[in-house]
Amino acid sequence: MRLAELSERSGVSTATIKYYLREGLLTPGRQINATTAEYDEEHLRRLRLVRAMIQVGRVPVATVREVLRHVDDDSLGRTIRLGAALWALPQVPEPDEEDEHIRAAHREVDQLLETLGWSNARALVTISPAYRSLVVAIATFRRLGYDWDPELNLAYARLMHQAAVLDLDFVETHPSEAEKVETAVAGAIFVEPMLQALHRLAQEEESARRYGFE
């Protein structure tokens, strides 16, 4: 397809597509002559992802470029490729390791991973932003004085493992490695808010069941 058709099918203006091409967010089309290039379904799929990341996910262009660099790096195994792409997304700041609540949260999270038998997750603790996010969240909760039972974290973690199985089962339905990683990235940006919304709806439903509307 030509640029005009790519624009029409994607709903993205030709000017914006040209900008994405200049920024390296889309690979160049197949050059037909000096002024015309041809694009395919992969360009259309990637364009829709880029547009959604920037417009809906509010991901900066430089970050999108970094994420896609890992998505397209077929020299990496799938786990590292996926991890690198997800880790390039905006993350929580590095925690203050001198903070007593942070140190206690590290111990709590390490114990949680050991109890779960998540040896692969434990191997990534020094580099995984998700590990840092969990440490910061638990530390913040403790700092506010809430008595959150570690057994609750264990129960939630087991539920999240079931969600992860569903996630990767869905990822596996896509044919190419790039599509698999793209789908996982899209899930991190768009499915996580959906799960959060479902969680809150479930809380509202359970609250109504228990306490009514009075």
Side-chain angles (χ1 to χ4, degrees), residues 98-129:
E98 299 303 313
D99 184 288
E100 62 176 307
H101 295 286
I102 292 293
R103 293 199 300 269
H106 273 294
R107 293 191 293 271
E108 187 172 334
V109 173
D110 291 344
Q111 181 60 55
L112 173 66
L113 297 179
E114 183 175 349
T115 302
L116 290 164
W118 288 5
S119 57
N120 293 316
R122 291 180 67 198
L124 297 172
V125 296
T126 58
I127 58 174
S128 173

Short mmCIF file of all heavy atoms in Angstrom, two decimals, residues 98-129:
data_model
loop_
_atom_site.label_atom_id
_atom_site.label_comp_id
_atom_site.label_asym_id
_atom_site.label_seq_id
_atom_site.Cartn_x
_atom_site.Cartn_y
_atom_site.Cartn_z
N GLU A 98 18.85 3.37 51.97
CA GLU A 98 19.15 3.64 53.38
C GLU A 98 17.89 3.74 54.22
O GLU A 98 17.96 3.72 55.45
CB GLU A 98 19.97 4.93 53.51
CG GLU A 98 21.31 4.90 52.79
CD GLU A 98 22.18 3.75 53.27
OE1 GLU A 98 22.28 3.57 54.51
OE2 GLU A 98 22.74 3.03 52.43
N ASP A 99 16.74 3.84 53.57
CA ASP A 99 15.47 3.97 54.28
C ASP A 99 15.12 2.65 54.95
O ASP A 99 15.13 1.59 54.32
CB ASP A 99 14.37 4.36 53.28
CG ASP A 99 13.04 4.62 53.95
OD1 ASP A 99 12.41 3.63 54.40
OD2 ASP A 99 12.61 5.78 54.00
N GLU A 100 14.77 2.71 56.23
CA GLU A 100 14.49 1.47 56.98
C GLU A 100 13.28 0.73 56.41
O GLU A 100 13.24 -0.50 56.41
CB GLU A 100 14.26 1.78 58.46
CG GLU A 100 13.07 2.69 58.74
CD GLU A 100 12.84 2.90 60.23
OE1 GLU A 100 12.75 1.89 60.95
OE2 GLU A 100 12.77 4.05 60.65
N HIS A 101 12.28 1.47 55.91
CA HIS A 101 11.10 0.83 55.35
C HIS A 101 11.45 0.12 54.04
O HIS A 101 10.90 -0.96 53.74
CB HIS A 101 10.00 1.86 55.12
CG HIS A 101 9.48 2.48 56.37
ND1 HIS A 101 8.66 1.80 57.24
CD2 HIS A 101 9.67 3.72 56.90
CE1 HIS A 101 8.35 2.59 58.26
NE2 HIS A 101 8.95 3.76 58.08
N ILE A 102 12.34 0.72 53.26
CA ILE A 102 12.78 0.08 52.01
C ILE A 102 13.55 -1.20 52.32
O ILE A 102 13.32 -2.25 51.68
CB ILE A 102 13.66 1.05 51.18
CG1 ILE A 102 12.82 2.22 50.65
CG2 ILE A 102 14.35 0.31 50.03
CD1 ILE A 102 11.79 1.84 49.61
N ARG A 103 14.44 -1.15 53.30
CA ARG A 103 15.20 -2.36 53.66
C ARG A 103 14.27 -3.46 54.13
O ARG A 103 14.43 -4.64 53.77
CB ARG A 103 16.24 -2.02 54.73
CG ARG A 103 17.35 -1.11 54.24
CD ARG A 103 18.57 -1.20 55.18
NE ARG A 103 18.23 -0.81 56.54
CZ ARG A 103 18.32 0.43 57.01
NH1 ARG A 103 18.74 1.40 56.24
NH2 ARG A 103 18.01 0.70 58.27
N ALA A 104 13.28 -3.10 54.95
CA ALA A 104 12.33 -4.10 55.44
C ALA A 104 11.49 -4.66 54.29
O ALA A 104 11.20 -5.86 54.25
CB ALA A 104 11.42 -3.48 56.50
N ALA A 105 11.12 -3.80 53.34
CA ALA A 105 10.33 -4.26 52.19
C ALA A 105 11.13 -5.21 51.32
O ALA A 105 10.59 -6.18 50.78
CB ALA A 105 9.84 -3.05 51.38
N HIS A 106 12.43 -4.94 51.16
CA HIS A 106 13.29 -5.87 50.42
C HIS A 106 13.22 -7.26 51.05
O HIS A 106 13.06 -8.27 50.34
CB HIS A 106 14.74 -5.39 50.45
CG HIS A 106 15.10 -4.44 49.35
ND1 HIS A 106 15.11 -4.83 48.02
CD2 HIS A 106 15.47 -3.14 49.36
CE1 HIS A 106 15.47 -3.80 47.27
NE2 HIS A 106 15.69 -2.76 48.06
N ARG A 107 13.35 -7.31 52.36
CA ARG A 107 13.32 -8.61 53.04
C ARG A 107 11.97 -9.29 52.84
O ARG A 107 11.90 -10.51 52.61
CB ARG A 107 13.63 -8.43 54.53
CG ARG A 107 15.05 -7.96 54.82
CD ARG A 107 15.37 -8.06 56.31
NE ARG A 107 14.58 -7.12 57.11
CZ ARG A 107 14.96 -5.88 57.38
NH1 ARG A 107 16.09 -5.40 56.91
NH2 ARG A 107 14.20 -5.10 58.14
N GLU A 108 10.91 -8.50 52.93
CA GLU A 108 9.57 -9.07 52.79
C GLU A 108 9.35 -9.61 51.37
O GLU A 108 8.81 -10.71 51.20
CB GLU A 108 8.53 -8.00 53.11
CG GLU A 108 7.10 -8.52 53.15
CD GLU A 108 6.12 -7.50 53.67
OE1 GLU A 108 6.54 -6.59 54.44
OE2 GLU A 108 4.92 -7.60 53.33
N VAL A 109 9.77 -8.86 50.36
CA VAL A 109 9.60 -9.30 48.98
C VAL A 109 10.46 -10.53 48.69
O VAL A 109 10.02 -11.48 48.03
CB VAL A 109 9.91 -8.17 47.99
CG1 VAL A 109 9.88 -8.68 46.55
CG2 VAL A 109 8.91 -7.03 48.16
N ASP A 110 11.69 -10.53 49.19
CA ASP A 110 12.56 -11.69 48.98
C ASP A 110 11.95 -12.95 49.59
O ASP A 110 12.01 -14.04 49.01
CB ASP A 110 13.95 -11.43 49.57
CG ASP A 110 14.73 -10.37 48.80
OD1 ASP A 110 14.33 -10.07 47.65
OD2 ASP A 110 15.72 -9.85 49.33
N GLN A 111 11.39 -12.80 50.79
CA GLN A 111 10.74 -13.93 51.44
C GLN A 111 9.53 -14.39 50.65
O GLN A 111 9.26 -15.59 50.50
CB GLN A 111 10.34 -13.57 52.87
CG GLN A 111 9.66 -14.69 53.64
CD GLN A 111 10.54 -15.92 53.76
OE1 GLN A 111 11.67 -15.84 54.23
NE2 GLN A 111 10.03 -17.07 53.32
N LEU A 112 8.77 -13.43 50.11
CA LEU A 112 7.60 -13.75 49.31
C LEU A 112 8.00 -14.57 48.08
O LEU A 112 7.38 -15.61 47.79
CB LEU A 112 6.90 -12.47 48.87
CG LEU A 112 5.74 -12.61 47.87
CD1 LEU A 112 4.58 -13.35 48.51
CD2 LEU A 112 5.31 -11.24 47.37
N LEU A 113 9.03 -14.13 47.36
CA LEU A 113 9.47 -14.85 46.16
C LEU A 113 9.97 -16.25 46.50
O LEU A 113 9.75 -17.21 45.75
CB LEU A 113 10.56 -14.04 45.43
CG LEU A 113 10.14 -12.68 44.91
CD1 LEU A 113 11.32 -11.98 44.24
CD2 LEU A 113 8.97 -12.79 43.94
N GLU A 114 10.65 -16.36 47.64
CA GLU A 114 11.13 -17.67 48.06
C GLU A 114 9.97 -18.60 48.40
O GLU A 114 9.97 -19.77 48.00
CB GLU A 114 12.05 -17.52 49.27
CG GLU A 114 12.66 -18.84 49.72
CD GLU A 114 13.67 -18.67 50.85
OE1 GLU A 114 14.05 -17.51 51.15
OE2 GLU A 114 14.08 -19.68 51.43
N THR A 115 8.97 -18.09 49.11
CA THR A 115 7.80 -18.89 49.46
C THR A 115 7.06 -19.35 48.20
O THR A 115 6.59 -20.48 48.12
CB THR A 115 6.85 -18.09 50.36
OG1 THR A 115 7.55 -17.69 51.54
CG2 THR A 115 5.63 -18.92 50.75
N LEU A 116 6.96 -18.45 47.22
CA LEU A 116 6.27 -18.79 45.97
C LEU A 116 7.07 -19.75 45.11
O LEU A 116 6.52 -20.40 44.21
CB LEU A 116 6.01 -17.51 45.16
CG LEU A 116 4.96 -16.56 45.72
CD1 LEU A 116 5.09 -15.19 45.07
CD2 LEU A 116 3.55 -17.11 45.51
N GLY A 117 8.38 -19.84 45.36
CA GLY A 117 9.23 -20.67 44.51
C GLY A 117 9.52 -20.01 43.18
O GLY A 117 9.83 -20.70 42.20
N TRP A 118 9.45 -18.67 43.13
CA TRP A 118 9.70 -17.94 41.89
C TRP A 118 11.20 -17.70 41.73
O TRP A 118 11.69 -16.59 41.86
CB TRP A 118 8.94 -16.62 41.89
CG TRP A 118 7.46 -16.77 41.73
CD1 TRP A 118 6.75 -17.94 41.69
CD2 TRP A 118 6.49 -15.72 41.62
NE1 TRP A 118 5.41 -17.69 41.56
CE2 TRP A 118 5.21 -16.34 41.50
CE3 TRP A 118 6.58 -14.34 41.61
CZ2 TRP A 118 4.04 -15.59 41.38
CZ3 TRP A 118 5.42 -13.60 41.49
CH2 TRP A 118 4.15 -14.22 41.37
N SER A 119 11.93 -18.76 41.43
CA SER A 119 13.39 -18.66 41.35
C SER A 119 13.83 -17.76 40.20
O SER A 119 14.84 -17.05 40.30
CB SER A 119 14.01 -20.05 41.19
OG SER A 119 13.48 -20.71 40.05
N ASN A 120 13.08 -17.77 39.09
CA ASN A 120 13.45 -16.92 37.96
C ASN A 120 13.28 -15.45 38.32
O ASN A 120 14.11 -14.60 37.96
CB ASN A 120 12.61 -17.25 36.73
CG ASN A 120 12.91 -18.64 36.20
OD1 ASN A 120 14.06 -19.03 36.10
ND2 ASN A 120 11.88 -19.39 35.85
N ALA A 121 12.21 -15.13 39.03
CA ALA A 121 12.00 -13.75 39.46
C ALA A 121 13.09 -13.32 40.44
O ALA A 121 13.59 -12.20 40.38
CB ALA A 121 10.62 -13.60 40.10
N ARG A 122 13.48 -14.23 41.33
CA ARG A 122 14.52 -13.90 42.30
C ARG A 122 15.85 -13.62 41.60
O ARG A 122 16.65 -12.81 42.06
CB ARG A 122 14.68 -15.02 43.31
CG ARG A 122 13.49 -15.18 44.25
CD ARG A 122 13.72 -16.32 45.22
NE ARG A 122 14.81 -16.01 46.14
CZ ARG A 122 15.45 -16.91 46.85
NH1 ARG A 122 15.13 -18.19 46.74
NH2 ARG A 122 16.42 -16.55 47.67
N ALA A 123 16.09 -14.30 40.47
CA ALA A 123 17.34 -14.08 39.74
C ALA A 123 17.40 -12.70 39.10
O ALA A 123 18.47 -12.22 38.74
CB ALA A 123 17.50 -15.16 38.68
N LEU A 124 16.24 -12.05 38.94
CA LEU A 124 16.18 -10.76 38.26
C LEU A 124 16.03 -9.59 39.22
O LEU A 124 15.88 -8.45 38.76
CB LEU A 124 14.99 -10.76 37.28
CG LEU A 124 15.05 -11.76 36.13
CD1 LEU A 124 13.72 -11.76 35.38
CD2 LEU A 124 16.19 -11.43 35.18
N VAL A 125 16.12 -9.84 40.53
CA VAL A 125 15.79 -8.78 41.49
C VAL A 125 16.69 -7.56 41.37
O VAL A 125 16.28 -6.44 41.69
CB VAL A 125 15.79 -9.30 42.94
CG1 VAL A 125 14.70 -10.34 43.13
CG2 VAL A 125 17.16 -9.84 43.34
N THR A 126 17.92 -7.74 40.94
CA THR A 126 18.83 -6.59 40.88
C THR A 126 18.55 -5.69 39.69
O THR A 126 19.01 -4.54 39.67
CB THR A 126 20.29 -7.07 40.80
OG1 THR A 126 20.46 -7.90 39.64
CG2 THR A 126 20.68 -7.85 42.05
N ILE A 127 17.80 -6.16 38.70
CA ILE A 127 17.57 -5.35 37.50
C ILE A 127 16.10 -5.14 37.17
O ILE A 127 15.77 -4.29 36.35
CB ILE A 127 18.27 -5.98 36.27
CG1 ILE A 127 17.77 -7.41 36.03
CG2 ILE A 127 19.77 -5.95 36.42
CD1 ILE A 127 18.30 -8.03 34.75
N SER A 128 15.20 -5.88 37.79
CA SER A 128 13.79 -5.80 37.42
C SER A 128 13.10 -4.58 38.01
O SER A 128 13.03 -4.42 39.23
CB SER A 128 13.05 -7.06 37.88
OG SER A 128 11.66 -6.91 37.67
N PRO A 129 12.55 -3.69 37.16
CA PRO A 129 11.77 -2.56 37.68
C PRO A 129 10.54 -3.01 38.46
O PRO A 129 10.10 -2.31 39.37
CB PRO A 129 11.37 -1.79 36.41
CG PRO A 129 12.36 -2.21 35.38
CD PRO A 129 12.69 -3.63 35.70
#
